[in-house]
Amino acid sequence: MRVGVLTGGGDCPGLNAVIRAVVRKGVPEYGYTFLGFRDGWRGPLEALTKPLDIPAVRGLLPRGGTILGSSRTNPFAIEGGVEKIRRNLQNLGVDALIAIGGEDTLGVATKLHEIGVNVVGVPKTIDNDLAGTDYTFGFDTAVNIATEAIDRLHTTAESHHRALIVEVMGRHAGWIALHSGMAGGANAILIPEVRFDIDQVCKWVESRFQLDYAPIIVVSEGAKPKDGDEVLRTGEKDAFGHVRLGGIGDFLAREIEARTGKEARTTVLGHVQRGGTPTARDRWLATRFGLHAIDAVHAGKWGMMTALHGTDIELVPLSEATKELKLVDPTLYAEAEVFFG
């Protein structure tokens, strides 16, 4: 059997570990050959390939990014795109696909499975917002990076008596903000699932200054004020209909300065959260996902996705995993509010 492998959407620490695990088990145990598709769904769409064998995946475990490249290509938004993929898979002799990605990449995989393509999914996103799995790899690395940044910002905030805002990724879900904010001792955490009251945020800021400490506010890029919408960087949309967010941190800084008279500055972590060496936990999870993904291919479990449930790796239907996002439960957020201010 010849198996295609692709990585789509945003890059993520641990992608290479999945590729390595798939090949390292699939070649000696099942006798499969592998073909990497470059740049997400653009690979099978345009027949852009890269050979994958055991020498090609040596040394990948600690390496960030993806050796296959990535993109936000949506074949269902391109005229004739799906037929091109089916034709290219046939011409290349590819019997099955392993698609590694988040909601958009796996959403395409779900639709392709429904029209007869043999596909298995592996969940990837630093946002940890994919349903059907307790955790996605990449999340732990992003949280650790954000937490270290918050730790460092505490000292400079105290030195300059400023309110510092840390803007982290999280378009629809505030998992990174919640975990890193709590771990870093933030004085306020603002997430997309719970609209924030700017007056209350300013009260938390003033309360912190009254104790002779400088406040740290962690905010997800998709957080929204009670009487407003998310802040857009541009009005342009990508192939999956997503607008580019950005600027909520600067908005908060302006409002805090205007309402409290205190100096405020914003640090946008951006793609720093995606890059670099994956943590030990992400390497472990990505490796286990890869091993179980190739087992699923061998068993013909098409249309399924690997998922972490407790400590077990199980298979769940792609259709279930992609029909809605996994958001932060407001009761969990309420636990963090105890420490605000």
Side-chain angles (χ1 to χ4, degrees):
M1 179 181 284
R2 196 177 205 192
V3 181
V5 182
L6 65 85
T7 56
D11 67 311
C12 174
L15 283 168
N16 285 324
V18 179
I19 298 168
R20 170 182 176 269
V22 165
V23 174
R24 285 286 299 271
K25 186 171 187 178
V27 171
E29 186 158 332
Y30 297 130
Y32 294 164
T33 59
F34 292 88
L35 188 66
F37 284 104
R38 301 189 62 88
D39 302 335
W41 289 112
R42 193 158 71 91
L45 186 67
E46 301 178 14
L48 305 174
T49 64
K50 174 187 179 76
L52 287 178
D53 54 18
I54 289 180
V57 299
R58 287 193 179 123
L60 289 187
L61 193 58
R63 184 172 167 183
T66 165
I67 62 167
L68 296 179
S70 190
S71 74
R72 297 192 182 277
T73 302
N74 181 2
F76 284 91
I78 298 171
E79 186 176 354
V82 175
E83 287 308 312
K84 286 182 181 179
I85 286 180
R86 298 181 75 163
R87 184 167 58 251
N88 285 334
L89 292 179
Q90 183 176 12
N91 291 341
L92 292 167
V94 173
D95 305 293
L97 272 177
I98 294 178
I100 313 166
E103 58 167 321
D104 295 325
T105 301
L106 296 185
V108 171
T110 302
K111 293 178 181 178
L112 288 176
H113 165 67
E114 291 171 352
I115 61 173
V117 176
N118 295 335
V119 61
V120 168
V122 175
K124 168 250 35 165
T125 168
I126 66 170
D127 293 329
N128 198 41
D129 59 359
L130 266 173
T133 183
D134 292 350
Y135 285 96
T136 53
F137 67 86
F139 173 65
D140 188 67
T141 302
V143 168
N144 275 274
I145 291 169
T147 300
E148 181 181 356
I150 295 166
D151 288 345
R152 293 177 179 274
L153 289 170
H154 272 294
T155 57
T156 188
E158 300 293 349
S159 298
H160 291 277
H161 312 292
R162 290 171 174 160
L164 289 187
I165 297 124
V166 185
E167 183 180 318
V168 299
M169 286 184 169
R171 172 183 293 275
H172 301 295
W175 292 108
I176 295 176
L178 182 65
H179 282 242
S180 64
M182 289 188 71
N187 307 110
I189 301 169
L190 311 179
I191 63 176
E193 294 88 338
V194 181
R195 287 180 176 268
F196 64 86
D197 183 339
I198 189 63
D199 291 329
Q200 180 61 66
V201 172
C202 290
K203 288 178 182 177
W204 286 327
V205 168
E206 290 175 326
S207 172
R208 184 70 173 172
F209 277 120
Q210 288 169 5
L211 297 173
D212 292 325
Y213 291 101
I216 299 286
I217 299 167
V218 178
V219 57
S220 298
E221 61 184 339
K224 299 177 283 291
K226 188 170 63 175
D227 300 316
D229 296 316
E230 56 200 3
V231 179
L232 305 183
R233 180 69 68 189
T234 70
E236 298 177 358
K237 296 182 179 180
D238 65 16
F240 292 94
H242 302 307
V243 292
R244 185 180 175 189
L245 301 181
I248 186 64
D250 290 334
F251 166 81
L252 283 169
R254 291 194 301 270
E255 291 296 319
I256 288 169
E257 287 191 345
R259 294 168 185 249
T260 69
K262 302 294 185 180
E263 194 173 3
R265 293 288 186 273
T266 299
T267 298
V268 181
L269 296 186
H271 288 78
V272 169
Q273 297 158 90
R274 292 192 181 280
T277 301
T279 60
R281 178 177 174 80
D282 278 341
R283 299 183 203 187
W284 168 84
L285 182 56
T287 297
R288 292 189 71 198
F289 276 164
L291 295 175
H292 283 262
I294 195 60
D295 286 345
V297 168
H298 185 67
K301 300 290 187 180
W302 313 125
M304 304 296 282
M305 179 190 86
T306 57
L308 179 69
H309 293 156
T311 59
D312 296 329
I313 305 295
E314 300 174 351
L315 295 178
V316 299
L318 274 168
S319 56
E320 291 297 314
T322 57
K323 69 178 181 180
E324 61 183 5
L325 293 176
K326 180 180 67 181
L327 304 179
V328 174
D329 188 327
T331 59
L332 185 60
Y333 179 72
E335 293 179 4
E337 286 187 300
V338 173
F339 299 100
F340 293 179

